[in-house]
């Protein structure tokens, strides 16, 4: 195990929630893009919120830990072509958010659930479309190459954890959406733009595990995989 991976696992042990937020936990003011609006004028999607879960898969590489992301297929009805984390709606048959996130990761990129060690959970993230998303952080050791499901995913790629845990990478931007100004974090990487809910969740991970904003061990270069 490299020093960078050992450091990440120690931070995850100390900084992540060990149990997921339950269905009856207070979620009247969850984290979301509305919470970064500098004007305080963002409209919070009212309940009931649709529950979802995403897997935040960290993978060991010799040059340092990396995080696995996807680029969504161009033909999807929602968020086509955007950078995303594997995940989706929590089905009634899912025992919890971890099982939902692992099921979706297997469906989207062929990452087997038994190849992921769940490390913990972040605070729920409320999307502008009313999804209350539970991020599940996992250490992935895939026994098979990633195989994107073409109906959902155009490409699977990796980003060095050191890049994503650098506060200076997160730039606050805005655009008009449904007649209102929407604020969100965005950062370019390898010709792609990581923004919106995905960038918000990753920034929350940074805040939870690397609040001091020190450089992270490992390669921080802008190199797509």
């Amino acid at each position: 195990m490299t020093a960078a991976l050992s450091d990440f696992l120690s931070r995850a042990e100390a900084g992540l929630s060990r149990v997921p937020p339950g269905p009856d936990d207070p979620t009247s003011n969850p984290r979301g893009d509305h919470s970064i609006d500098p004007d305080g004028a963002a409209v919070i999607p009212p309940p009931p919120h649709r529950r979802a879960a995403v897997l935040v898969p960290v993978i060991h590489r010799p040059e340092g830990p990396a995080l696995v992301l996807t680029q969504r297929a161009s033909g999807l009805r929602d968020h086509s072509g955007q950078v995303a984390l594997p995940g989706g709606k929590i089905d009634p048959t899912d025992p919890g958010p971890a099982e939902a996130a692992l099921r979706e990761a297997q469906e989207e990129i062929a990452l087997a659930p038994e190849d992921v060690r769940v490390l913990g959970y972040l605070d729920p993230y409320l999307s502008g479309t009313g999804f209350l998303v539970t991020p599940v952080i996992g250490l992935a050791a895939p026994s098979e190459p990633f195989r994107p499901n073409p109906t959902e995913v155009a490409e699977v790629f990796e980003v060095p954890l050191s890049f994503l845990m650098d506060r200076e990478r997160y730039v606050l931007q805005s655009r008009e959406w449904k007649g209102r100004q929407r604020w969100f974090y965005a950062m370019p990487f390898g010709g792609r733009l990581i923004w919106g809910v995905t960038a918000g969740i990753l920034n929350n991970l940074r805040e939870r595990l690397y609040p001091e904003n020190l450089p992270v061990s490992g390669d921080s270069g802008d190199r797509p995989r």
Side-chain angles (χ1 to χ4, degrees):
M1 181 184 300
T2 64
L5 181 60
S6 177
D7 177 65
F8 167 73
L9 292 175
S10 295
R11 290 172 181 267
E13 176 70 25
L16 296 177
S17 300
R18 307 312 303 167
V19 295
D24 298 321
D25 290 350
T27 56
S28 58
N29 188 29
R31 301 293 297 271
D33 287 352
H34 61 273
S35 61
I36 60 176
D37 184 344
D39 300 325
V43 175
I44 303 175
H49 301 134
R50 294 169 287 178
R51 293 187 173 269
V54 294
L55 182 65
V56 184
V58 175
I59 190 168
H60 170 61
R61 294 300 184 201
E63 62 270 26
L67 199 144
V68 179
L69 292 170
T70 69
Q71 184 162 353
R72 290 171 61 82
S74 59
L76 293 174
R77 183 180 63 180
D78 298 320
H79 311 296
S80 63
Q82 292 185 13
V83 171
L85 291 156
K89 291 185 291 184
I90 299 177
D91 290 342
T93 54
D94 292 319
E99 290 81 4
L102 293 171
R103 173 180 54 76
E104 289 282 347
Q106 185 171 33
E107 293 174 2
E108 292 181 14
I109 62 174
L111 176 59
E114 58 268 25
D115 291 341
V116 180
R117 171 185 159 198
V118 173
L119 302 176
Y121 304 85
L122 291 176
D123 299 327
Y125 199 94
L126 181 59
S127 75
T129 53
F131 280 98
L132 190 63
V133 184
T134 298
V136 183
I137 316 303
L139 182 66
S143 54
E144 300 286 344
F146 296 123
R147 298 190 306 276
N149 180 342
T151 63
E152 298 186 61
V153 175
E155 191 175 356
V156 183
F157 65 101
E158 298 173 20
V159 183
L161 183 69
S162 53
F163 180 95
L164 297 170
M165 297 299 104
D166 180 357
R167 181 172 59 185
E168 299 305 315
R169 302 285 188 180
Y170 292 81
V171 178
L172 194 59
Q173 297 184 3
S174 70
R175 68 174 57 169
E176 187 172 311
W177 184 64
K178 293 187 176 181
R180 295 181 178 273
Q181 204 70 10
R182 176 188 172 186
W183 292 86
F184 52 89
Y185 285 116
M187 52 184 164
F189 177 82
R192 300 178 175 88
L193 185 66
I194 305 169
W195 69 285
V197 172
T198 299
I201 288 173
L202 295 177
N203 187 58
N204 287 356
L205 178 66
R206 181 199 63 77
E207 290 178 337
R208 183 76 73 90
L209 300 192
Y210 299 89
E212 74 283 3
N213 200 39
L214 293 175
V216 184
S217 300
D219 182 9
S220 61
D222 183 356
R223 298 186 295 104
R225 293 182 177 275

